[in-house]
Amino acid sequence: AETVLITQQSHEELRKVIDANKTAAPDQQRLVVVSVSPQSRASLAAQFGLNPTDTARKLTAFFKKIGVHYVFDTSFSRNFSLLESQREFVQRFRGQADSQQALPVLASACPGWICYAEKTHGSFLIPYLSTVRSPQQVMGSLVKDFFAQQQHLTPDRIYHVTVMPCYDKKLEASRPDFFSQDYQTRDVDCVVTTGEVFKLLEEEGVSLSELEPAPLDSLCSSVSAQEPSSHRGGGSGGYLEHVFQHAARELFGIHVDEITYRPLRNKDFQEVTLEKEGQIVLHFAAAYGFRNIQNLVQKLKRGRCPYHYVEVMACPAGCLNGGGQLKAPNTPGKELLQRVETLYSMVRTEAPEDAPGIQELYRCWLQGEGSERAGRLLHTSYHAVEKASSSLGIRW
Ligand code: SF4
């Protein structure tokens, strides 16, 4: 069933929905919403020789031209993922003594990693996983709950597509946890990769560089999204950096301006520490790629994992290097990745707590931080499946 759901997620499906809208009666049409990830934007910017802001605006123009109604930026939903991750970490660190929830907290934004964790070490690893939804799935909540209400539509009347750097995001969108039984609809109906967007551009005979830019859409009517935004930290969302800085301030009263990473076994396994009075009080790590993940799991199983928090990502070098990103035939992979990283970091960054609209949405939409509603719409759960991944196309 999962495989069928995944094959339903393609740029052809998006086109079918747009075509169906053209002939459907008004009350049968679906509002088409596309949410674009900053990693995909950077990959397309490199491909077309554009800056990220122009890429975001031209991509908006392209989607509107083919019949999409709204185009959003998943950096907006990432604000919630980061804030919830910060809060969760501090709570779990403080509650360490009664051992209700285990440390280290293992980041959960990467579905490749989550799938591996559930299917190979489910009952052992699940207590460590952060329960925070990934930016894609927070966007799913925002679009199918908040935005649907704003538009006076039921969630099934919205067709929500995300543009992502990897295929495993299709698997994430298909999880039963993100399906509404009441409305028989998913929070994210279709995930297309950056490469599939490029195919769509080619099939439509459109070159992104030649399009007139269009203004970005904003989910919150009180906020005008003039230009795309992003967050500090690496191309996988900056989880380690945000959680570390927040925890240093909140738990130890220490303000950390710059994070200094110390490479361990290789550049994809790095650690960061915070010292107070000569003692290490915070010990974080980033483990990217399957080799490093296996190493981390071994450490945990042997009871020799010194970390309080680990940002775990399945792809070596993280999301900017995801399997759904564009390849350039005449450019070596390393050079292309460097270009994409530079473009990714060119975008204006903001602290998630200061991002316009976030506090307002916590108040009006979620009924406050830490509320039951915030728990339901911004968090998720995991399920142990103690057998190896089979035909789901997980790449390692
Ligand atoms: Fe997808 Fe790779 Fe990022 Fe994981 S690390 S979310 S598999 S692109």
Side-chain angles (χ1 to χ4, degrees), residues 109-113 165-166 168-169 236 313-315 318-323 395:
C110 169
W113 146 240
C166 80
D168 292 350
K169 286 281 169 189
S236 300
M313 296 285 157
C315 294
C319 294
L320 290 173
N321 191 34
R395 310 167 325 281

Side-chain angles (χ1 to χ4, degrees), residues 127 180 206 291 350 364-365 383 388 396:
S180 158
V206 172
R291 207 159 39 110
E350 58 195 2
C364 312
W365 173 48
H383 319 281
W396 294 108

